[in-house]
Amino acid sequence: MLKKINNIFKDYFFSHFAMTRRQRSGFLLLAGVIVAIEVLLYLNPFATKNTEILSLNPEEEVIARQISQSFTQGESQKNEKLNDIELHFFNPNALDANGFMDLGFSEKQAASLIKYRNSLGGNFSTVEEFKNAYVVSDKMFERLSDYLDLKPYKAHLIQNKFAKKDFNQEINFNRNTKLKPFFINQLSQSQIMELGFSERQSEIILNFKNSLPGKRFENAEQFKKCYVVNDYMFNRLQPYLRFEKSKAGDESFASNSKAETTTQAKHISKMKLSDWKALGFDAETASNILKYADFIGGFKSLEDLEKCRYITDDELESIRNKILFD
């Protein structure tokens, strides 16, 4: 019985593991080569052991410490600058280089973003496309993602003839300055410069206005077509742009409103959108005034009304006798 079992194991081993003399020689040769390589690697005098510690002399230690501190301080200062930037909702399709720089990007990064956006046809179609821009790091995207307000925007691809340094210099205005509504057709060159345009840019804006029919801007789109008015400046000024309803209204909103002498004074706390429109404000401005009133808890006095940036001094003068305070 045992002999029969032994024969079965021999037959199984022979059928599965038996090798010819040539196969056995090849196997032994391969094993020998592997052992030789392991021995050479072990005895290699150029190999660095894991336990070996690189030591520095005192001068090298000082230099290494300075480099490390400089890098740490640079990263810390960069993070502090980013943390100091107050973020608001923004549309990356409507920003120019200055707009991207205001978010914390460098000048080169801003230029790269615009170039990448132009390659997409002038618009980021999805949030992922903005995120995939190689200058938008994961950390920067995480910082900005909550403020992204992505919307299609009419493409304004950068043209070489408009890329002159004169028209792309740093914007000159105090970013803490609070704008108030203004009639663009009534501004002088110095007043246009106060909005943040350079002397050359303000001159071009006036020349462009004088080239229009009636020598006046009729709407915001005409103002936007002036090529020195970049996307950033247009978006910044648009909420405050005012245009006279007709040539007879060139004397400002105040002269238009004086004709309404029969308007009965109303309590400002009870005024609705239609009431503000009846005083001569357009729908958008009237809506903004109501939102501002709700934000501050209502207009309690004329001083509160004077602080509303959606009402010009002339407009305030024209309506002060038509409103009552509680």
Side-chain angles (χ1 to χ4, degrees), residues 105-121:
F105 292 100
S106 67
E107 185 176 356
K108 290 184 178 180
Q109 288 174 330
S112 296
L113 278 169
I114 291 176
K115 186 175 180 180
Y116 177 59
R117 186 179 66 190
N118 288 347
S119 70
L120 298 174

Side-chain angles (χ1 to χ4, degrees), residues 173-229:
F173 66 89
N174 186 345
R175 299 184 186 277
N176 295 322
T177 301
K178 292 185 178 180
L179 293 170
K180 297 199 71 174
F182 59 91
F183 288 90
I184 184 64
N185 291 318
Q186 299 177 17
L187 298 186
S188 63
Q189 183 174 353
S190 60
Q191 290 172 323
I192 294 176
M193 291 175 62
E194 290 176 2
L195 297 176
F197 294 101
S198 69
E199 182 177 359
R200 175 62 175 155
Q201 289 171 332
S202 60
E203 181 181 349
I204 291 173
I205 291 173
L206 287 177
N207 290 337
F208 182 77
K209 183 190 74 171
N210 292 331
S211 69
L212 296 172
K215 298 184 178 181
R216 55 193 288 124
F217 293 107
E218 297 293 342
N219 50 55
E221 287 303 316
Q222 279 189 337
F223 178 68
K224 184 179 180 181
K225 287 180 180 178
C226 183
Y227 66 88
V228 296
V229 181

Side-chain angles (χ1 to χ4, degrees), residues 1-8:
M1 182 67 180
L2 293 175
K3 186 176 180 179
K4 186 176 181 180
I5 295 173
N6 187 36
N7 289 334
I8 292 174

Side-chain angles (χ1 to χ4, degrees), residues 96-111:
D96 64 354
N98 290 299
F100 284 118
M101 290 169 65
D102 284 343
L103 295 175
F105 292 100
S106 67
E107 185 176 356
K108 290 184 178 180
Q109 288 174 330

